Amino acid sequence: MIFNTPTIFASVALVALIMAFCLILAGQEHKRDGMRAGGAGLLAHALAYCCYTLYGEAPLWLTYGVGNTLLALALACYAASLLRIHGQPVPWSRIFALPLLMATALALLIETREPRMFAACLVLILQCLLLMVWTWRHARHPGSRAHLLLLLGGGISLIGLLLRVIAIATGAAADLPYNVSNLRQTVSVSIGTVTVIMFSLGLVLMAKERTEAALREMALRDPLTGIANRRAILAACERELERARRTGTPLAIALLDIDHFKRINDSHGHLAGDAVLRQAAALLRQRLRLSDEVGRYGGEEFLVLLPDTGRDGALTVVDGLRAAVAGQPAQFAELVLPYRFSVGLWCGVPGAGDSSDRLIGHADTALYQAKAGGRDGVCLAGPAAA
C-alpha cells in the first residue's frame, strides 16, 4: 500500500510535537532528569518533518538542508537526554559536532543530489550508532524495557537509513525525493513515525526506571551513614548464609558496637554523635573487601558480613578495624572525638538448622560478653569459640 509522502511527514510531525509537549512539561518538575532535553529533541524532530512536508514548494536549503540538520539535532538531544537521565556528564561539543557537520556538508552539497543524500545518511547513521552504543553501555539490567525501546528505535532508524543508502548506491535516488510517493518511500518515511514513538516512550520509561531504582536504593540505605540499613544488611545476611550453606564455605558475622556512645551524645550533643557514626561507617567501607557487606544494624551498632572467611581471617579483619578506629578519631567542628568498638564475632560453616536470626543472636551474645569484659575487645561465639 502506498501513502502520500507529505501526509506521512505531517503525521510524524504531529506525533513528535505532541510527545515533545509531554516531555517538556514533565521536565519542568525534574529539571535534571533529561526530560527537557528529550522534549527539545522531539520538537526538533517535529520541525524537521515540517520542513520535509514543504519539499518542492520551498527552497531546497530549507526543506532538505534545514530539515536534515534539525533531524541530526534531534538525535543529539536524545543522546544528551539519555546521559542526563543516567546522571552522566554530557559531552556537548562531541554530541553537537555531528549536527554542525550535517549543516556544513549540506550547505556545500545542497545543489547536488546523490552526494547530499549520501552525506545526510552517513551522519544520521553515525548518530544512531552512537545513541545505541550509549544506550547499551548505560543499560542497568538486561531486561530493561526502556533500553530495549531505544535500541529498537535506533535499529529501525538504521534500517530506514540503510535502505536509502542502498537506493542511492543502486541509482534509485530519483525515487526518494520527499514529495514523491512510492512503496520504497512509504516504507522509509513510515519508519520515522515508529522511531519517534520509540525514542520518546523509551526516554520517558528510562527516566521512570531510573527514578524507581533511586527510590529503591534510598529505601535500602541508611540516610545518616550512607551504608546499608537494617533491612538491606539482613537481606544480605540471608543471601550470604544461603551461599555459604550451599557451597560449604565459612562465613563470619561480626556485630560491632561503639563503646560509650551515649556519653558522646550527652557530652557533645547528637550532632557530634552523628559525626562519629558517619566516620565509623566510612572507615568500615574503606577497610573491608568489595565482597564484604556492612550495614547499620541499629543505633550505634554495625553488622559486618565476611564471606569465605574463617576464624583466623575474621580476627585479623576485626583487629584491623579496631586499630584503624583507634588511629582515626572522628572530628566535629573543633572537637576531636576518639571512640572504640566492642565486637561480637560468630564464625563457621552454617548448618541446615542455622538461620540469620540465630547466628546474629550468637554474635550479639558475644558482643554483650565483650562489653561486660571491659569493652574495646573481641569475643568469639559459636564454633569459633570452641
Side-chain angles (χ1 to χ4, degrees):
M1 183 179 294
I2 298 173
F3 295 96
N4 181 263
T5 300
T7 301
I8 300 177
F9 283 140
S11 300
V12 176
L14 180 61
V15 171
L17 189 61
I18 293 172
M19 298 302 294
F21 175 77
C22 294
L23 262 68
I24 292 173
L25 189 64
Q28 297 301 315
E29 186 175 351
H30 306 284
K31 296 183 179 180
R32 295 185 179 180
D33 67 358
M35 286 293 93
R36 290 196 297 182
L42 285 165
L43 184 59
H45 215 134
L47 293 175
Y49 276 75
C50 287
C51 291
Y52 299 155
T53 304
L54 299 174
Y55 190 88
E57 300 178 7
L60 196 59
W61 63 265
L62 174 64
T63 58
Y64 196 91
V66 174
N68 280 287
T69 300
L70 284 169
L71 187 56
L73 183 62
L75 291 173
C77 288
Y78 297 151
S81 176
L82 167 69
L83 295 175
R84 286 180 68 85
I85 287 172
H86 286 290
Q88 300 295 317
V90 180
W92 298 104
S93 57
R94 279 193 294 162
I95 286 179
F96 288 99
L98 290 173
L100 181 60
L101 176 62
M102 175 75 83
T104 303
L106 294 184
L108 296 173
L109 303 172
I110 196 64
E111 297 301 328
T112 66
R113 185 171 62 185
E114 285 83 357
R116 74 163 181 259
M117 294 174 66
F118 193 69
C121 287
L122 285 183
V123 173
L124 295 174
I125 286 172
L126 180 58
Q127 287 187 287
C128 286
L129 288 173
L130 284 174
L131 185 60
M132 293 175 70
V133 168
W134 280 333
T135 299
W136 181 265
R137 184 179 299 169
H138 292 97
R140 293 292 171 177
H141 50 85
S144 170
R145 294 170 296 166
H147 293 87
L148 181 61
L149 277 175
L150 287 178
L151 288 171
L152 285 175
I156 292 172
S157 293
L158 283 176
I159 292 173
L161 290 167
L162 289 173
L163 288 175
R164 300 186 75 84
V165 169
I166 292 171
I168 297 167
T170 56
D175 296 336
L176 297 178
Y178 293 152
N179 58 350
V180 170
S181 300
N182 54 47
L183 182 59
R184 181 185 282 120
Q185 191 74 295
T186 296
V187 173
S188 177
V189 177
S190 296
I191 283 174
T193 307
V194 178
T195 56
V196 165
I197 294 174
M198 284 192 167
F199 281 143
S200 57
L201 292 180
L203 291 172
V204 170
L205 188 57
M206 185 179 293
K208 177 177 178 291
E209 289 179 350
R210 174 78 175 177
T211 300
E212 290 175 349
L215 290 174
R216 285 194 298 269
E217 182 72 12
M218 289 174 60
L220 297 175
R221 290 289 158 187
D222 176 59
L224 176 63
T225 62
I227 62 175
N229 61 17
R230 182 186 179 95
R231 175 184 174 187
I233 194 62
L234 287 177
C237 188
E238 290 286 351
R239 291 194 302 270
E240 291 300 336
L241 181 62
E242 177 59 29
R243 190 186 68 83
R245 185 184 293 117
R246 185 178 64 253
T247 59
T249 54
L251 173 67
I253 299 175
L255 200 57
L256 288 66
D257 185 89
I258 299 177
D259 294 330
H260 303 297
F261 185 73
K262 185 176 183 300
R263 185 183 302 171
I264 296 174
N265 279 335
D266 292 343
S267 301
H268 305 292
H270 289 281
L271 292 180
D274 290 347
V276 171
L277 290 173
R278 285 192 293 267
Q279 160 78 2
L283 186 146
L284 291 174
R285 280 186 304 200
Q286 292 170 5
R287 299 284 301 186
L288 294 172
R289 303 168 300 181
L290 291 177
S291 59
D292 299 332
E293 301 273 0
V294 59
R296 188 178 176 191
Y297 188 65
E300 65 272 22
E301 288 185 335
F302 298 90
L303 183 62
V304 175
L305 308 175
L306 305 173
D308 300 315
T309 305
R311 176 182 183 279
D312 293 340
L315 285 172
T316 299
V317 171
V318 169
D319 286 339
L321 292 176
R322 292 176 56 244
V325 163
Q328 299 180 43
Q331 290 188 330
F332 175 70
E334 302 299 325
L335 297 174
V336 176
L337 304 171
Y339 63 100
R340 298 291 187 272
F341 277 123
S342 291
V343 184
L345 182 64
W346 182 92
C347 306
V349 178
D354 289 325
S355 65
S356 58
D357 287 342
R358 180 181 179 184
L359 298 184
I360 292 173
H362 290 327
D364 190 44
T365 300
L367 173 63
Y368 179 80
Q369 294 171 353
K371 291 280 190 181
R375 304 178 191 271
D376 188 21
V378 183
C379 187
L380 297 172

